[in-house]
């Protein structure tokens, strides 16, 4: 067991580990398309290689990065059938006058939409003219055209590709894309753990904190200005705050006890967390400075891992051991209206979907001595308590976190069951298109709100 789980589980559920339970199986006969994640999967989109313009010798490599990033962003969006590059016409159109839609709308490309344009490096800037055409509308094909610029180099090329991809996804998918979003996570550094961040696709990984302690459970604020997390110091686990704007730690009040698993309200004006300041771990809510804290749960047994309904801010889901092994519950933000969601097994790490309709969580449904269970990622529909299992036979999975478009989930995976192998993966919200984002030693991902 890694330090993360030692911090979370030994603090809260150690007295419960010897108990056994038989999980109640709800129906898995749930059409995953009810999540709406793949409703537009048949939209066939082609992404042409962009036409090089100008004579800057540094443009060739940057254009290659742009073309590859744009294709990957569109292919991983979960709403397109992206035409293989090998099926694209040989001619590369650089502007609307050079586009011959009849070449793209017929086999083998058979594209309904085409993204294309031109790429250059001018005066230290990447300059991209992007076009999106409706291949079936020969009279008025252009959906939009837009000029993108960024600093010259690979990172500038990546950023302009992300921006163009997000614009396409918004126009054709109806929801903003995630190509410009970030993922926060923990990475081992010797005996300590620090908070890191990366792009949604695993690129641009870099370290944020340098505390030399065990830092866990990062949660970025809705405005992407701060990251709350827990850190193990001389006073045990305490909540700390890192400012992404200032690039340093900022104050968060501590009044004793073990304080874990901070979670931002959608307004950014409150933080829910687990605190044992009165003896038993309960869910508390404070302002972003840790002041004006008040308790919202008051039952015997540990209460941890809160997550707000990001749609309304009116409800909180969390994990409680009040009835034995840790189970998933929801309640109103004032502590009333408590409803138990799972009916057995060992549940951890809930994450509320952006549309407020689903909760992703880790669940060992057959937990107990001799039980042949394993910990996987599940999604439960709140209104009906129906659930689906998203991971199977890839080792221990934990810490799911939704992307802001609700089409993807990032999570931690231990392929061989050892914490030293822990890595971060993402998948579509129906469990398909899994891909590894980081190497070993990484854990507890949290996707930014936008």
């Amino acid at each position: 067991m890694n330090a993360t789980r030692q911090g979370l589980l030994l603090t809260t559920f150690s007295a419960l580990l010897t108990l056994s339970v038989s999980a109640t199986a709800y129906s898995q006969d749930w059409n995953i398309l009810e999540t709406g994640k793949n409703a537009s999967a048949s939209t066939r989109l082609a992404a042409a290689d962009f036409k090089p313009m100008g004579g800057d010798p540094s443009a060739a490599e940057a254009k290659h990065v742009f073309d590859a990033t744009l294709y990957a962003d569109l292919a991983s969006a979960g709403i397109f059938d992206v035409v293989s590059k090998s099926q694209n016409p040989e001619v590369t159109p650089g502007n609307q006058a050079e586009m011959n839609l009849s070449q793209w709308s017929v086999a083998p490309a058979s594209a309904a939409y085409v993204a294309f344009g031109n790429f250059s490096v001018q005066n230290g800037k990447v300059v991209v003219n992007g076009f999106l055409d409706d291949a079936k509308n020969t009279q008025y094909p252009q959906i939009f055209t837009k000029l993108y610029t960024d600093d010259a180099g690979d990172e500038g090329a990546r950023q302009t590709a992300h921006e163009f991809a997000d614009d396409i996804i918004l126009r054709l998918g109806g929801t903003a894309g995630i190509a410009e979003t970030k993922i926060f996570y923990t990475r081992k550094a010797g005996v300590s753990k620090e908070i890191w961040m990366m792009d949604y696709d695993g690129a641009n990984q870099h370290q944020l904190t340098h505390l030399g302690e065990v830092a866990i459970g990062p949660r970025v604020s809705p405005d992407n200005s701060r990251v709350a997390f827990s850190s193990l110091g001389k006073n045990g686990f305490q909540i700390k705050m890192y400012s992404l704007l200032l690039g340093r730690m900022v104050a968060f009040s501590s009044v004793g006890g073990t304080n874990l698993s901070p979670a931002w309200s959608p307004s950014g004006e409150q933080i829910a967390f687990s605190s044992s300041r009165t003896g038993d771990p309960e869910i508390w809510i404070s302002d972003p400075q840790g002041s004006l804290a008040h308790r919202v749960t008051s039952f015997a047994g540990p209460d941890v891992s809160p997550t707000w309904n990001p749609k309304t801010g009116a409800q909180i889901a969390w994990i409680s051991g009040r009835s034995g092994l840790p189970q998933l519950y929801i309640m109103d933000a004032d502590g009333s209206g408590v409803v138990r969601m799972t009916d057995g097994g060992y549940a951890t790490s809930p994450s509320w979907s952006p549309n407020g309709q689903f909760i992703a969580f880790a669940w060992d449904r057959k937990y107990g001595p001799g039980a042949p269970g394993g910990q996987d990622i599940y999604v439960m529909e709140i209104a009906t308590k129906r659930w689906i299992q998203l991971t199977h036979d890839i080792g221990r999975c934990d810490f799911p976190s939704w992307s802001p478009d609700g089409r993807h989930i990032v999570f931690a995976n231990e392929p061989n069951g050892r914490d030293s192998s822990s890595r971060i993966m993402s998948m579509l919200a129906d469990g398909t298109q899994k891909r590894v984002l980081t190497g070993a030693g990484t854990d507890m991902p949290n996707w930014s709100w936008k």
Side-chain angles (χ1 to χ4, degrees):
M1 180 177 291
N2 60 27
T4 297
R5 293 194 177 86
Q6 287 177 338
L8 289 173
L9 302 183
L10 293 180
T11 304
T12 56
F13 297 120
S14 58
L16 307 171
L17 293 177
T18 57
L19 300 177
S20 64
V21 67
S22 59
T24 300
Y26 288 91
S27 171
Q28 293 188 75
D29 186 19
W30 177 20
N31 184 346
I32 58 175
L33 294 183
E34 289 184 21
T35 64
K37 311 303 185 297
N38 287 332
S40 302
S42 60
T43 301
R44 190 160 170 85
L45 172 68
D49 283 343
F50 271 46
K51 188 172 184 177
M53 305 290 282
D56 191 315
S58 67
E61 176 57 28
K63 195 191 85 69
H64 174 74
V65 171
F66 174 88
D67 289 336
T69 303
L70 177 62
Y71 187 90
D73 286 347
L74 297 174
S76 63
I79 58 173
F80 301 125
D81 173 16
V82 181
V83 178
S84 169
K85 293 263 186 178
S86 65
Q87 296 177 318
N88 285 351
E90 293 183 357
V91 177
T92 300
N95 54 52
Q96 195 69 62
E98 297 175 357
M99 167 55 71
N100 184 345
L101 286 174
S102 63
Q103 296 178 326
W104 295 82
S105 61
V106 300
S110 301
Y113 301 93
V114 184
F116 64 101
N118 58 74
F119 182 101
S120 63
V121 175
Q122 304 174 23
N123 302 318
K125 293 286 185 180
V126 165
V127 179
V128 171
N129 286 290
F131 299 82
L132 178 65
D133 272 13
D134 181 344
K136 307 295 184 183
N137 187 346
T138 55
Q139 187 173 7
Y140 302 106
Q142 185 171 296
I143 297 176
F144 80 90
T145 180
K146 188 173 179 179
L147 174 66
Y148 303 85
T149 64
D150 207 307
D151 294 338
D154 290 355
E155 187 52 36
R158 279 178 47 80
Q159 183 60 31
T160 52
H162 287 332
E163 293 175 13
F164 187 38
D166 278 350
D167 283 339
I168 294 170
I169 293 165
L170 178 59
R171 291 297 186 97
L172 300 183
T175 301
I178 60 168
E180 298 175 79
T181 61
K182 306 294 182 183
I183 294 171
F184 298 82
Y185 60 103
T186 64
R187 178 183 287 276
K188 285 186 176 179
V191 297
S192 64
K193 285 187 173 182
E194 302 287 355
I195 306 301
W196 285 57
M197 67 179 291
M198 62 182 171
D199 296 348
Y200 92 102
D201 57 1
N204 196 25
Q205 299 179 17
H206 60 279
Q207 186 172 346
L208 293 179
T209 65
H210 298 80
L211 300 174
E213 299 176 345
V214 176
I216 62 173
R219 293 292 183 271
V220 65
S221 62
D223 64 358
N224 288 338
S225 68
R226 289 159 290 178
V227 179
F229 59 97
S230 302
S231 182
L232 180 60
K234 61 181 179 181
N235 297 319
F237 275 104
Q238 301 297 327
I239 293 175
K240 295 188 176 181
M241 190 75 68
Y242 180 87
S243 170
L244 294 168
L245 302 178
L246 301 174
R248 61 174 173 79
M249 303 298 298
V250 293
F252 188 91
S253 298
S254 176
V255 294
T258 296
N259 296 278
L260 292 165
S261 54
W264 292 88
S265 68
S267 68
E269 297 176 350
Q270 293 180 300
I271 292 180
F273 54 96
S274 175
S275 177
S276 65
R277 63 187 67 185
T278 58
D280 192 41
E282 303 284 1
I283 303 302
W284 288 65
I285 295 176
S286 76
D287 66 17
Q289 291 75 45
S291 303
L292 305 175
H294 63 280
R295 189 174 65 184
V296 293
T297 61
S298 58
F299 287 87
D303 294 285
V304 299
S305 303
T307 176
W308 296 77
N309 182 334
K311 184 71 173 181
T312 65
Q315 292 176 300
I316 292 173
W318 86 106
I319 298 297
S320 179
R322 64 188 60 191
S323 58
L325 285 173
Q327 301 296 313
L328 174 65
Y329 290 79
I330 62 173
M331 63 180 170
D332 295 338
D334 62 1
S336 64
V338 173
V339 177
R340 179 171 168 173
M341 303 301 290
T342 53
D343 193 19
Y346 195 113
T348 60
S349 310
S351 176
W352 210 309
S353 69
N355 65 7
Q357 297 178 17
F358 306 96
I359 294 176
F361 61 106
W363 199 12
D364 188 341
R365 294 183 47 243
K366 298 180 180 178
Y367 181 83
Q375 183 167 292
D376 283 292
I377 304 300
Y378 290 76
V379 168
M380 178 176 286
E381 186 181 43
I382 297 167
T384 64
K385 296 185 181 180
R386 292 183 299 175
W387 50 260
I388 57 173
Q389 182 176 348
L390 300 185
T391 61
H392 303 262
D393 303 322
I394 61 171
R396 183 185 179 90
C397 299
D398 204 350
F399 306 113
S401 177
W402 293 85
S403 64
D405 67 354
R407 294 179 177 133
H408 305 74
I409 293 174
V410 66
F411 62 100
N413 168 247
E414 297 174 2
N416 60 14
R418 298 176 181 174
D419 66 285
S420 59
S421 69
S422 180
R423 60 188 183 178
I424 294 172
M425 300 180 66
S426 68
M427 60 184 168
L428 292 180
D430 62 4
T432 62
Q433 294 191 27
K434 293 181 178 67
R435 61 174 176 168
V436 177
L437 301 181
T438 66
T442 53
D443 207 349
M444 307 190 82
N446 175 236
W447 216 312
S448 63
W449 292 63
K450 57 184 179 183

